Amino acid sequence: MTTRNLDALFHPGVIALVGASNSPGSVGQVLSRNLLESGFAGPVLPVALNASAIRSAVAYRSVTDLPLTPDLAVIATPAATVPGLIAELGARGCRAAVVISAGFDTGLRQAMLDAARPHLLRIVGPNCLGFISPMVGINASFAHLTPAAGGLALISQSGAVAAAALDWAHGRGIGFSHILSIGDAADVDVGDLLDYLALDPETKAILLYVESLSDARKFMTAGRIAARAKPVVVVKAGRSASGAKAAFSHTGALAGSDLVYDAAFRRAGMLRVGDLRELFDAVAALGAGLKVTGDRLAILTNGGGAGVMAADALEARGGRLAELSPATLERLNAAAPANWSHANPVDILGDARAPVYGRALEALLAEPAADAILVMNCPTAVGDSTQAADAVIETLRADRSHRPVLSAWLGQTAVAEGRRRLSAAGVPAHETPDEAVRTFMQLVEHRGNQQALLRTPAAPAGPACDHAAARAVIDRARAEGRTALTDPEARAILQAYGVPVLQSLQADDPAAAAAAAATFAGPVALKILSSDISHKSDVGGVALDLQGPAAAEAEARAMLARVAAARPEARIQGFVVEPMARGAHALELLAGVAQDAAFGPVIVFGAGGVAVEVVADRVIGLPPLDEVLAKDMIARTRISRLLAGYRDRPPANLDAIADVLARLSRLAVDLPEIAELDINPLLADAEGVLALDARMALRPIGAQPVRTAILPYPEHLRRELTADGELLVVRPVRPQDGPGLAHMVERSAPEDVRLRFRAGLRTLPHGWPERLSQIDYDREMALVAEAPDGSILGVARLVGDPEGDTAEFALMVRSDRQDHGLGRLLLGALLEHAQARGLQEIWGDVALENARMLAMAAVFGFERHTAKGDFSRVRVVKTLAARAPVHADA
């Protein structure tokens, strides 16, 4: 991930337009008009072969003729000319380009990137609508309008969708900080832009239109950083099930790509919505600062039918009506007409005047059971909808509870002004009850996603995982050239990772099957054993409730005949004999691992059994998982209602189910050779869980696994060190450390803060604690020194370049803890990590006046060089010994 040179895109001093034109209706003509009339304060230099002037600006015939070096170039010429133009622009010192042109094949696209690479020139596009930044007066696009300035940033992989969003927003007075249509995203992609916009002070919320992602880990890292700092709302095209294809296991068949994107957006702390209208409705609520703490809604309305519609929508979306307390009922009795509904929804009747709205809302704002309030108005001849809106606004101005309030003014003509006033006052205003409830539940979902964002799962508790035992099973199968594991092999791997499995015996022939059955008390199950047969029941390879050895032997012989007829080519290794698992109240679940082309291993959970694909009750989670994230997965299935218990059936052991999911997550990360894993059924009851059947497939030898989208927390880097006699913990930073980092800066001397951040900060600016604590452990590392009381005393940070060869380091120790050896300990630990990662060079720019840091660098063997472009600083560089890197996924 890199934001290198993106400042030239967002804040250029000079812009060149290559392909400018005066031809009416041409892309070049529209670009020229938009760029020259958008109010950009700097020079705009048109480059045109067939014109001496474009509108009122002098035109130049080539890039070499330009009198100034452009920071940003906008290119709208035939695709074949673009690589040469990029090379010329890069040689002139241009640092960013927006390539509008389309028609790039693979070779031409690569030639364009190769031309840009020596100059580190960044490219947006090709095949895009362009770039608009109303804040600085840039409209480098062929959009039909220039939007107003505002706090929303839009990143779209579709130019058509971007244009539609602009038109939709323009009619509603919505402004933007930036609009980026990235087209083919040959260079600058969604992850890069999220990383930049996360710290952009002009951007208050980020909107995404996504079709596909090429670098899932970059997207997840940047998205999590951005979502910690500001709302990120996404529309993802392609909700169909076309991505879910038949696979070796049920998990592979059920892990549709859209479900994986759902899981990714949720884990990144983003909010996914269905269309552009939902996009802007959600942003209006999140941008207004509305935050909920639960899913209980109080409804205030002057129409009983509207209240029923809202209650129905709430239940359908999984929310709950708040149960009003006696104190609130008393307040409403005093505020509302005698015949009000005396329940939630609070119906104050159709003739309710504005003062009644105000008093009733004031009563509900004091209700502790309500996580939010929905106020609705239906137009009547005796009540003024605009006055009702004013009463709501005035009540909220005097309110100190800060409880979230949404509104729905139903209708069009009579309520339009009231709706406008509510919206202008920061109260999300909707036209229907369903829209308002949908927005409320989006706030609920966003809160849950934000909580998931904070999780940094550690290894599951309980029995330790025997990685070596599992590895031995995989190595043996690979040595035999197999990609499918047998049932006993799959069980052995699950058992090595602490997943409870039903004990079984293997039999080579029918007689051995009879002998095995004799060892169990009670009926047994018999299954064919063949690495060539995945779904045994489909070929008659499963028999249940066999009583005694004779029945087992007879069924084994019959099974051989059935399987031979159905799959004559299959190699039969024998049978598996196991006791029948009896559980009067046990439910059949599915749990497993599948692979996604973009996001790597994913965890699948849902209802199990033979009809698993028909029922299709499943959810997806991204590893790593912990108990909290696993239980969130469980809660999002329909079968969770049965797991909670009903009638005479006690609740299932959710802790045991969650532990299995966490262990499968660990397994998926530790054993990337596993392509698919399927436990079906996983029996669950009040006593615990038991895996009855398991299927497992390996990747073909030589096939490269897709890395995990979220790198697991590097617990192995945690260590205890002693500084000046005090035992400290040095560990990688966690997302939860943001407040601790801010506190460390607040407790440091202003001079120390200036030397670290090159600015006179008293506190970290908004968004910085999140950016410094939410990192990509693959590209970055921050080691914090933690005192016994939990406070952070120092941080050593390493940020790698996109190529993974060099990295910049930074170090800060709290002012009152300096001169005690802590800085040396942190820098030494950081250099050890850099060496293990295979980095070739570590560097840092140090202020000349920072004698303490320069002396420490000299002790560690850093060489001093002149810092580029800054005579007040010196660059210290350390070359590391060549060493094979330890990959972050290891």
Side-chain angles (χ1 to χ4, degrees):
M1 180 190 311
T2 176
T3 58
R4 182 182 294 168
N5 285 335
L6 288 187
D7 61 303
L9 171 69
F10 288 94
H11 297 284
V14 179
I15 301 175
L17 173 57
V18 185
S21 174
N22 289 319
S23 299
S26 67
V27 171
Q29 186 265 338
V30 176
L31 280 167
S32 301
R33 181 197 67 204
N34 285 348
L35 255 179
L36 291 167
E37 295 183 357
S38 57
F40 179 62
V44 176
L45 310 176
V47 177
L49 289 176
N50 301 314
S52 58
I54 300 295
R55 304 179 77 81
S56 60
V58 174
Y60 303 90
R61 294 187 59 81
S62 69
V63 169
T64 56
D65 292 336
L66 293 176
L68 300 172
T69 296
D71 299 296
L72 171 66
V74 183
I75 302 176
T77 61
T81 67
V82 172
L85 288 169
I86 291 292
E88 288 185 67
L89 288 162
R92 285 292 308 266
C94 182
R95 295 186 294 128
V98 177
V99 179
I100 307 292
S101 317
F104 286 76
D105 59 22
T106 303
L108 201 56
R109 169 179 159 144
Q110 189 59 49
M112 177 185 68
L113 294 175
D114 290 343
R117 191 178 188 84
H119 313 287
L120 301 178
L121 188 151
R122 305 306 306 278
I123 296 173
V124 176
N127 187 27
C128 67
L129 180 73
F131 166 63
I132 307 174
S133 185
M135 288 292 185
V136 293
I138 297 175
N139 186 346
S141 79
F142 59 97
H144 61 296
L145 55 84
T146 298
L152 302 183
L154 170 65
I155 305 171
S156 176
Q157 290 185 328
S158 165
V161 170
L166 290 180
D167 197 74
W168 198 96
H170 184 263
R172 288 157 179 79
I174 298 172
F176 292 87
S177 58
H178 313 286
I179 300 97
L180 298 114
S181 164
I182 61 175
D184 296 341
D187 172 28
V188 176
D189 62 12
V190 177
D192 296 327
L193 295 172
L194 279 172
D195 201 42
Y196 185 92
L197 294 171
L199 294 180
D200 177 34
E202 305 298 338
T203 298
K204 309 306 179 186
I206 302 172
L207 318 182
L208 301 179
Y209 172 81
V210 175
E211 294 175 352
S212 62
L213 297 171
S214 58
D215 191 331
R217 182 174 290 178
K218 181 202 288 188
F219 173 81
M220 291 299 292
T221 300
R224 296 170 84 195
I225 292 168
R228 287 287 303 275
K230 56 196 68 174
V232 180
V233 186
V234 56
V235 173
K236 164 68 173 65
R239 283 186 174 269
S240 69
S242 60
K245 300 178 181 178
F248 172 85
S249 66
H250 293 299
T251 51
L254 291 174
S257 62
D258 193 63
L259 287 174
V260 178
Y261 275 97
D262 252 350
F265 297 143
R266 181 177 295 107
R267 189 69 175 274
M270 301 176 182
L271 175 65
R272 182 178 183 177
V273 297
D275 54 35
L276 291 179
R277 186 185 185 96
E278 286 188 41
L279 187 77
F280 288 105
D281 282 349
V283 167
L286 292 169
L290 301 190
K291 295 181 179 180
V292 299
T293 56
D295 62 355
R296 300 167 302 176
L297 182 67
I299 301 170
L300 172 63
T301 178
N302 69 336
V308 172
M309 291 171 64
D312 287 346
L314 183 66
E315 182 178 353
R317 293 180 182 273
R320 297 177 294 166
L321 283 172
E323 185 173 343
L324 304 182
S325 65
T328 298
L329 293 174
E330 284 300 317
R331 294 189 190 99
L332 288 169
N333 284 334
N339 293 326
W340 75 279
S341 60
H342 298 280
N344 186 17
V346 176
D347 179 10
I348 54 177
L349 307 180
D351 61 350
R353 303 299 205 275
V356 177
Y357 262 99
R359 293 193 298 268
L361 176 58
E362 185 177 357
L364 289 176
L365 287 169
E367 172 54 64
D371 297 304
I373 301 168
L374 169 59
V375 185
M376 299 195 296
N377 178 267
C378 304
T380 66
V382 293
D384 189 291
S385 295
T386 302
Q387 292 178 6
D390 289 339
V392 169
I393 294 168
E394 288 301 317
T395 302
L396 292 179
R397 284 175 180 165
D399 174 53
R400 296 183 180 275
S401 70
H402 304 293
R403 202 172 304 278
V405 174
L406 304 95
S407 67
W409 257 228
L410 283 63
Q412 191 60 49
T413 304
V415 299
E417 177 59 20
R419 201 156 48 221
R420 186 196 67 77
R421 294 188 185 186
L422 287 163
S423 181
V427 181
H430 301 85
E431 297 180 3
T432 68
D434 185 71
E435 289 176 359
V437 169
R438 180 192 66 202
T439 298
F440 167 66
M441 292 307 297
Q442 286 172 343
L443 292 173
V444 174
E445 181 181 351
H446 184 258
R447 173 180 177 268
N449 295 352
Q450 288 285 300
Q451 291 176 324
L453 174 62
L454 294 175
R455 306 301 303 177
T456 51
C465 301
D466 191 344
H467 178 77
R471 170 71 57 196
V473 175
I474 292 175
D475 291 344
R476 184 166 56 249
R478 286 199 149 189
E480 297 172 3
R482 291 188 288 120
T483 57
L485 300 184
T486 63
D487 181 272
E489 289 172 328
R491 292 187 200 216
I493 290 178
L494 291 176
Q495 196 166 16
Y497 271 78
V499 177
V501 299
L502 183 66
Q503 297 303 311
S504 63
L505 294 174
Q506 187 172 334
D508 295 332
D509 53 42
T519 65
F520 297 112
V524 299
L526 182 73
K527 301 175 183 178
I528 201 71
L529 179 60
S530 170
S531 57
D532 297 327
I533 299 174
S534 172
H535 300 288
K536 295 178 284 291
S537 59
D538 293 348
V539 296
V542 177
L544 306 177
D545 284 313
L546 300 177
Q547 300 285 344
E553 182 172 0
E555 180 56 36
R557 297 186 188 282
M559 186 177 290
L560 286 174
R562 290 196 302 271
V563 173
R567 293 285 302 276
E569 81 287 356
R571 295 165 293 178
I572 307 300
Q573 282 90 43
F575 305 90
V576 173
V577 183
E578 59 191 32
M580 287 297 298
R582 299 294 183 184
H585 300 306
L587 290 169
E588 292 187 336
L589 306 175
L590 165 77
V593 178
Q595 298 290 334
D596 182 80
F599 290 89
V602 298
I603 309 303
V604 183
F605 172 77
V610 294
V612 59
E613 279 123 340
V614 177
V615 176
D617 175 24
R618 80 282 190 186
V619 293
I620 301 291
L622 297 184
L625 296 175
D626 62 5
E627 179 185 9
V628 174
L629 294 170
K631 285 186 175 179
D632 176 67
M633 287 181 63
I634 297 168
R636 288 186 282 112
T637 61
R638 297 192 300 275
I639 201 170
S640 64
R641 301 175 187 176
L642 300 180
L643 292 171
Y646 59 98
R647 293 185 178 176
D648 63 334
R649 302 204 172 195
N653 189 332
L654 294 184
D655 290 338
I657 301 172
D659 183 66
V660 168
L661 296 180
R663 291 180 178 278
L664 292 183
S665 163
R666 171 83 178 269
L667 183 151
V669 174
D670 288 351
L671 303 172
E673 297 91 345
I674 294 177
E676 293 181 39
L677 185 161
D678 182 282
I679 305 174
N680 183 28
L682 175 70
L683 288 188
D685 59 18
E687 300 302 317
V689 295
L690 189 65
L692 298 191
D693 197 7
R695 303 178 183 88
M696 204 172 292
L698 305 178
R699 296 179 181 276
I701 295 176
Q704 292 298 314
V706 180
R707 63 182 187 171
T708 56
I710 302 174
L711 191 70
Y713 181 74
E715 185 69 37
H716 64 282
L717 296 179
R718 185 183 187 275
R719 65 183 71 181
E720 292 183 346
L721 297 174
T722 301
D724 199 25
E726 183 180 18
L727 185 64
L728 305 176
V729 172
V730 174
R731 59 168 175 80
V733 71
R734 292 179 179 272
Q736 297 93 323
D737 289 327
L741 293 174
H743 187 61
M744 182 190 74
V745 171
E746 290 169 4
R747 292 194 58 182
S748 294
E751 180 65 9
D752 289 334
V753 177
R754 184 185 67 80
L755 291 174
R756 167 62 181 90
F757 294 104
R758 306 190 193 187
L761 305 174
R762 294 295 299 241
T763 60
L764 289 178
H766 176 72
W768 282 37
E770 292 82 1
R771 177 63 185 90
L772 295 173
S773 60
Q774 180 76 62
I775 67 171
D776 178 354
Y777 298 114
D778 189 31
R779 279 278 314 284
E780 299 179 54
M781 182 52 62
L783 299 177
V784 302
E786 184 179 45
D789 64 0
S791 60
I792 294 176
L793 307 179
V795 185
R797 187 174 300 273
L798 200 65
V799 180
D801 69 354
E803 288 72 36
D805 297 329
T806 68
E808 180 182 7
F809 84 93
L811 178 68
M812 182 176 180
V813 174
R814 205 173 74 189
S815 298
D816 61 334
R817 302 308 293 260
Q818 294 177 8
D819 299 318
H820 294 282
L822 181 55
R824 290 190 297 275
L825 289 176
L826 282 170
L827 184 55
L830 195 68
L831 289 173
E832 284 183 28
H833 172 70
Q835 181 83 16
R837 296 290 298 131
L839 291 168
Q840 299 174 14
E841 184 181 274
I842 305 299
W843 62 273
D845 287 341
V846 183
L848 283 170
E849 60 197 288
N850 194 347
R852 183 185 287 110
M853 185 68 243
L854 291 173
M856 189 188 306
V859 170
F860 280 94
F862 284 80
E863 297 179 355
R864 293 176 61 161
H865 301 274
T866 302
K868 296 180 180 179
D870 188 348
F871 296 107
S872 67
R873 308 183 75 81
V874 62
R875 175 159 295 190
V876 294
V877 180
K878 182 176 178 63
T879 302
L880 301 177
R883 178 176 171 181
V886 177
H887 293 292
D889 290 321

